[in-house]
């Protein structure tokens, strides 16, 4: 046998032998790598593209949120137009250059119906019609016959052109291909409050478009400083994660428009996700009352068209979120190594001071002294060994640091949250609350809450509206910390609210540099996050406000009822007084001095029906005011009763200075 030959027994038979040359190993399987674009194409559910309907919803969501971010980044009041245009089979085929073809062999198709199946269906329809005629003859209520279905099939795919236009900052001409055609490249990386999830945005919509229609995405963009519009038509090379540009040119910008317009054709399902898309737009209008949205659905059948305008209610915008540094208790070993590799600081002391929050010079020196004799403030941070970096990480986990502040966050604000609820729901009553900054795993977060009672298009019972970093969360509501808190941890009867019969809106908005989402869809926050679970109970802080507003409402209702009966009471009381005055004049009956005075005034007609009516109306006003003042005193409010006033936004052209408070914004007009 040759040297290196391998002999394998095979149950009585000789297996073939293979000679392996010396110095060589046996061949190994070929290792393959996937690009980020290829990974997300194969795992599109991670980004919310589970099915055609959800893909249509997620595309709208990604485009709208990108538009809001773009406008807010330059402090421009957002104006966003979103259009979903239905594209029929013939139109789609002509767009891709495909000629329509009639079916030849019908048995090939999923909706083919055999002769026996057709006979059974027709017999069932005949029996249903016979039963319906019999019931009609007996005078029984007859239901409208439901539309019969043929053989079950997958049906035709539905295609839609989604267009989103905004007035944001636009994009640099040369950066557009990479911004849309290269996955995991973007401008939202860094530690700050962001609406984005993975830096995918419209890139995932482009991937879904390539998978479902094969058509490229079209982008028009212009910046304030540009006198041209950049137009780019491109798709993405999935395997290499690079853009494939079809056309990239500059066009004339006659209107001096700035912003972006993105157009993509995808497979979708408007019928099943119509309500979700409209709910999303409505909730986005609640949390961003300073934005103006125009939503259109254009169908091939004119009767199915939808146009909804969500108007702007205020021109006061939340501050732009600020990028912050990492808190020592929130970093892991890999992140520390990355910060060391990227830092421009030379010494360990400078690195600790400038790369982390809440570490001043004195604390940095104390930390270095605690690390051991091999560490010194002036040692080069780039010279740290892996063991020394582990020691730093261990100390960060064990040492006590001050909590980070919430100054880097941008909550909607109690003022905007209240305006948004009033604008979209028109409730009978609304109360809002904004909590102070708290900390979860070294990341600051702020919880804002609102409760409304009554309103337009609000169902009976609890209607829960959840927001994370000022975007609505519509899916996986059952496991969310907000839902569980509202359903199980709040006794609504103590608020004088009927949980099943009243129309209750519960609004909770959480903003943070890191939202602890559960699941790949990033649609809900788990109930096991204790810090956030306890903070969400801030609805309890609204109890006094809600009870007071309900009592105010009951008081106003009582006043209206009393005022309503003033005329009838006037006539009845005056007639009684008139009869008593006649009896008093004939019998000279003795009365108290005040009663005598009233009867004399009735006789002399100093008191008439009109004067009595006026006196009763004044008395109702007096009683109403005194009761309100008494309640305010008992509640610790030392001011007179008042009504909330909401003023419409000013037109352009005014110079002003804003003074912000948690409850209002005071504006000085210059």
């Amino acid at each position: 046998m040759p040297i290196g030959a391998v002999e394998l027994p095979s149950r009585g038979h000789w297996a073939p032998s293979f000679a392996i040359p010396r110095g060589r190993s046996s061949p190994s399987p070929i290792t393959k790598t996937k690009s980020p674009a290829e990974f997300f194409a194969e795992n599109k559910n991670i980004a919310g593209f589970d099915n055609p309907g959800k893909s249509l919803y997620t595309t709208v969501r990604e485009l709208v949120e990108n538009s809001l971010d773009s406008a807010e980044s330059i402090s421009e009041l957002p104006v966003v137009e979103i259009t979903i245009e239905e594209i029929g089979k013939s139109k789609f085929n002509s767009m891709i250059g495909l000629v329509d073809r009639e079916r030849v062999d019908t048995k090939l198709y999923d909706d083919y119906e055999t002769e026996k199946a057709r006979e059974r269906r027709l017999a069932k329809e005949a029996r249903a019609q016979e039963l319906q005629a019999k019931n009609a003859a007996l005078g029984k209520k007859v239901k409208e016959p439901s539309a019969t279905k043929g053989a079950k099939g997958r049906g035709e795919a539905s295609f839609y052109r989604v267009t989103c236009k905004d007035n944001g900052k636009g994009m640099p001409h040369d950066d557009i291909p990479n911004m849309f055609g290269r996955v995991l490249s973007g401008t939202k990386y860094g530690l700050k409050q962001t609406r984005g999830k993975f830096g995918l945005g419209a890139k995932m919509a482009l991937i879904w478009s390539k998978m479902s229609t094969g058509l490229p995405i079209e982008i028009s963009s212009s910046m304030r400083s540009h006198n041209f519009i950049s137009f780019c038509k491109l798709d993405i090379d999935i395997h290499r994660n690079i853009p494939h540009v079809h056309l990239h040119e500059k066009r004339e910008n006659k209107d001096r428009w700035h912003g972006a317009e993105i157009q993509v054709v995808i497979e979708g399902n408007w019928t099943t996700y119509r309500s979700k898309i409209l709910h999303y737009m409505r909730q986005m209008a609640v949390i961003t009352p300073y934005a103006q949205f125009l939503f259109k659905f254009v169908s091939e059948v004119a009767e199915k068209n939808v146009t909804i305008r969500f108007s702007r209610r205020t021109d006061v915008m939340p501050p732009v979120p600020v990028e912050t540094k990492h808190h020592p208790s929130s970093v892991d070993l890999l992140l520390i190594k990355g910060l060391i590799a990227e830092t421009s600081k030379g010494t360990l002391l400078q690195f600790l001071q400038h790369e982390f929050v809440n570490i001043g010079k004195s604390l940095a020196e104390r930390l270095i002294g605690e690390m051991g004799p091999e560490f010194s403030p002036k040692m080069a941070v780039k010279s740290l060994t892996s063991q020394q970096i582990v020691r730093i990480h261990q100390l960060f986990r064990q040492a006590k640091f001050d909590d980070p502040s919430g100054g880097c966050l941008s909550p909607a604000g109690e003022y905007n949250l209240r305006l948004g609820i009033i604008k979209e729901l028109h409730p009978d009553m609304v109360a809002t609350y904004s909590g102070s900054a708290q900390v979860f795993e070294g990341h600051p977060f702020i919880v804002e809450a609102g409760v409304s009672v009554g309103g337009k298009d609000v169902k009976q019972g609890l209607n829960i509206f959840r927001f994370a970093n000022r975007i609505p969360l519509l899916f996986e509501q059952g496991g969310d910390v907000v839902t569980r808190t509202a359903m199980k941890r709040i006794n609504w009867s103590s608020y004088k609210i009927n949980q099943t019969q009243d129309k209750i809106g519960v609004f909770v908005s959480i903003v943070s540099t890191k939202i602890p989402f559960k699941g790949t869809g990033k649609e809900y926050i788990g109930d096991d996050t204790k810090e956030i679970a306890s903070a969400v109970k801030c609805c309890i802080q609204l109890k006094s406000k809600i009870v007071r507003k309900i009592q105010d409402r009951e008081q106003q209702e009582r006043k209206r009822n009393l005022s309503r009966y003033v005329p009838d009471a006037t006539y009845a009381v005056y007639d009684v007084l008139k009869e008593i005055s006649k009896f008093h004049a004939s019998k000279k009956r003795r009365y108290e001095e005040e009663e005598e005075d009233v009867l004399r005034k009735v006789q002399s007609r100093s008191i008439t029906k009109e004067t009595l009516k006026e006196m009763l109306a004044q008395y109702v006003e007096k009683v109403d005011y005194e009761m309100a003042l008494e309640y305010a005193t008992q509640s610790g409010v030392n001011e007179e009763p008042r009504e909330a006033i909401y003023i419409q936004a000013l037109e352009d052209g005014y110079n002003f200075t804003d003074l912000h408070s948690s409850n209002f914004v005071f504006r000085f007009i210059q």
Side-chain angles (χ1 to χ4, degrees), residues 313 418 422 430 549 641-647:
R313 182 63 188 265
R418 179 187 294 267
I422 292 173
V430 61
K549 287 180 177 293
R642 61 183 181 179
E643 293 291 333
I645 299 175
Y646 301 98
I647 303 173

Side-chain angles (χ1 to χ4, degrees), residues 563 566 570 611-622:
S563 300
V566 162
T570 299
T611 57
L612 184 60
K613 181 179 178 180
E614 184 178 346
M615 291 166 64
L616 285 173
Q618 290 176 356
Y619 181 76
V620 168
E621 289 287 343
K622 179 183 177 183

Side-chain angles (χ1 to χ4, degrees), residues 535-640:
V536 167
K537 289 183 183 178
C538 63
C539 286
I540 296 173
Q541 305 289 339
L542 293 169
K543 183 175 180 179
S544 60
K545 292 185 179 181
I546 296 170
V547 171
R548 188 178 73 187
K549 287 180 177 293
I550 289 176
Q551 289 183 345
D552 288 345
R553 188 176 61 176
E554 291 174 350
Q555 177 186 316
Q556 291 175 0
E557 184 66 26
R558 184 168 56 251
K559 176 183 173 182
R560 282 194 294 268
N561 290 336
L562 287 172
S563 300
R564 188 186 309 157
Y565 294 117
V566 162
D568 295 335
T570 299
Y571 299 142
V573 171
Y574 186 78
D575 290 342
V576 171
L577 289 175
K578 196 172 182 181
E579 291 298 323
I580 293 175
S581 66
K582 292 178 183 178
F583 180 76
H584 171 258
S586 60
K587 300 294 183 179
K588 301 296 181 183
R589 186 173 176 178
R590 295 180 63 84
Y591 289 90
E592 296 292 335
E593 186 176 344
E594 292 183 0
E595 296 172 346
E596 290 275 0
D597 185 53
V598 170
L599 293 175
R600 281 196 298 270
K601 288 182 178 180
V602 171
Q603 284 181 331
S604 63
R605 298 190 61 80
S606 297
I607 295 179
T608 63
K609 288 183 179 180
E610 287 71 21
T611 57
L612 184 60
K613 181 179 178 180
E614 184 178 346
M615 291 166 64
L616 285 173
Q618 290 176 356
Y619 181 76
V620 168
E621 289 287 343
K622 179 183 177 183
V623 170
D624 176 71
Y625 180 81
E626 288 177 348
M627 290 180 67
L629 205 58
E630 179 183 0
Y631 172 76
T633 304
Q634 293 174 354
S635 304
V637 181
N638 57 2
E639 58 188 34
E640 296 182 354

